[in-house]
Amino acid sequence: MIMETAKRTDGIDNSAVKTLRVAIDGPAGAGKSTVAQLVAKRLGLLYIDTGAMYRAATWLAVKNGIDVKDGDAIAKAAGEAVIKLEPGDETSSNRVRVFVDEHEVTQAIRSHEISELVSPVSVHSPLRKVMVAQQKELAKRGGVVLDGRDIGTVVMPDADIKIYLTASTKVRAQRRMKDQEALGENPDYNKLVAAIAERDNRDSTRADSPLKQADDAIAIITDNMSIDQVVDAVVRLCVGE
Ligand code: DC
């Protein structure tokens, strides 16, 4: 997989912070991507949305008619593709823009179909090997915020700051509902709750690098916190306040 990413933003002027390696893990809908993106912007770090990488691989599998159970074929297709992440803008509701070869898949990878398929796709070890190698390479130089499920445990076990963001299933389902409504979909709340519970269970019980809070991660429960409050808390930890 040839992976390209966006450039760092200017952020705050503090050279120790510029080389930080920040890991943000947690279940779906805890606010990881939004928080990680804003923290990276505030601190002038590169944001890498690893969930978007697994979503892009899933989109590629669907496009190529590959069976989601065929981990080797998915890993091969992802390995041969150029997956590119660019900073979000108004065309993407400020979410990271994602390209697979010549296709922009920013919206497509957030659809209900891909959200359902990405968890079974991401269990495959051959695919995880391709993704993790790429993520480690991107993180090597420091100055990065990565969010995902296995960042603090597998991708950056030696990260400077490890955060585990979580929220109750109900709150996460409400957040997913808003995301999908914004895409013009008409989600059913109870089905979303069930899907999130199922996804949590699959992500945290899979054999290869399951979703798990690293021993040295700081847990933040975001149920009653605004995005700004969570971002402030993470930034404070990063600058050592
Ligand atoms: O964060 P997200 O909802 O975009 O992630 C999509 C899926 O990818 C999720 O089911 C878990 C998986 N994932 C993973 O296994 N490892 C990561 N580092 C990031 C995401």
Side-chain angles (χ1 to χ4, degrees):
M1 176 174 60
I2 301 171
M3 174 89 194
E4 297 172 13
T5 55
K7 301 268 181 306
R8 290 161 174 75
T9 50
D10 287 343
I12 64 168
D13 185 19
N14 177 335
S15 55
V17 168
K18 291 279 185 261
T19 57
L20 274 184
R21 290 154 28 102
V22 183
I24 302 186
D25 289 301
K32 291 183 308 291
S33 308
T34 312
V35 168
Q37 191 168 344
L38 291 169
V39 168
K41 197 170 173 192
R42 286 258 291 271
L43 299 177
L45 307 175
L46 178 66
Y47 167 52
I48 299 165
D49 179 347
T50 66
M53 294 168 67
Y54 287 96
R55 286 171 181 270
T58 305
W59 178 88
L60 193 61
V62 171
K63 176 177 162 283
N64 293 348
I66 302 171
D67 185 343
V68 293
K69 294 198 191 74
D70 191 346
D72 287 324
I74 298 171
K76 185 167 182 286
E80 288 168 356
V82 177
I83 298 179
K84 191 164 84 172
L85 304 182
E86 281 189 0
D89 58 23
E90 54 289 349
T91 68
S92 63
S93 312
N94 289 318
R95 294 209 75 157
V96 165
R97 291 180 71 192
V98 184
F99 299 81
V100 178
D101 298 323
E102 72 277 21
H103 306 279
E104 172 156 15
V105 298
T106 309
Q107 304 279 347
I109 62 165
R110 306 285 165 198
S111 69
H112 183 64
E113 183 195 13
I114 300 298
S115 298
E116 289 284 295
L117 293 176
V118 62
S119 177
V121 163
S122 65
V123 301
H124 298 303
S125 293
L127 176 66
R128 301 201 71 83
K129 224 170 135 187
V130 172
M131 296 285 173
V132 169
Q134 193 62 50
Q135 291 156 9
K136 281 181 185 268
E137 184 61 31
L138 291 168
K140 207 167 63 181
R141 284 194 305 137
V144 287
V145 180
L146 271 72
D147 80 322
R149 304 295 190 286
D150 57 346
I151 308 303
T153 50
V154 176
V155 179
M156 297 198 297
D158 53 350
D160 301 295
I161 306 281
K162 294 185 189 178
I163 307 288
Y164 192 82
L165 274 197
T166 187
S168 65
T169 309
K170 275 186 179 173
V171 167
R172 290 187 287 131
Q174 284 159 4
R175 292 176 184 163
R176 269 284 181 267
M177 186 137 167
K178 275 196 194 148
D179 286 349
Q180 294 190 359
E181 281 170 353
L183 289 174
E185 295 181 4
N186 189 15
D188 178 283
Y189 174 74
N190 290 324
K191 282 192 185 149
L192 277 181
V193 171
I196 284 183
E198 190 190 331
R199 177 125 75 108
D200 284 355
N201 185 45
R202 199 184 300 111
D203 290 348
S204 53
T205 56
R206 70 179 173 224
D208 189 344
S209 42
L211 167 66
K212 182 173 164 285
Q213 181 176 340
D215 293 339
D216 49 352
I218 297 162
I220 303 180
I221 299 163
T222 67
D223 273 23
N224 298 311
M225 292 174 82
S226 68
I227 294 288
D228 283 346
Q229 286 173 323
V230 182
V231 172
D232 283 346
V234 177
V235 166
R236 275 201 301 275
L237 289 166
C238 291
V239 299
E241 277 177 13

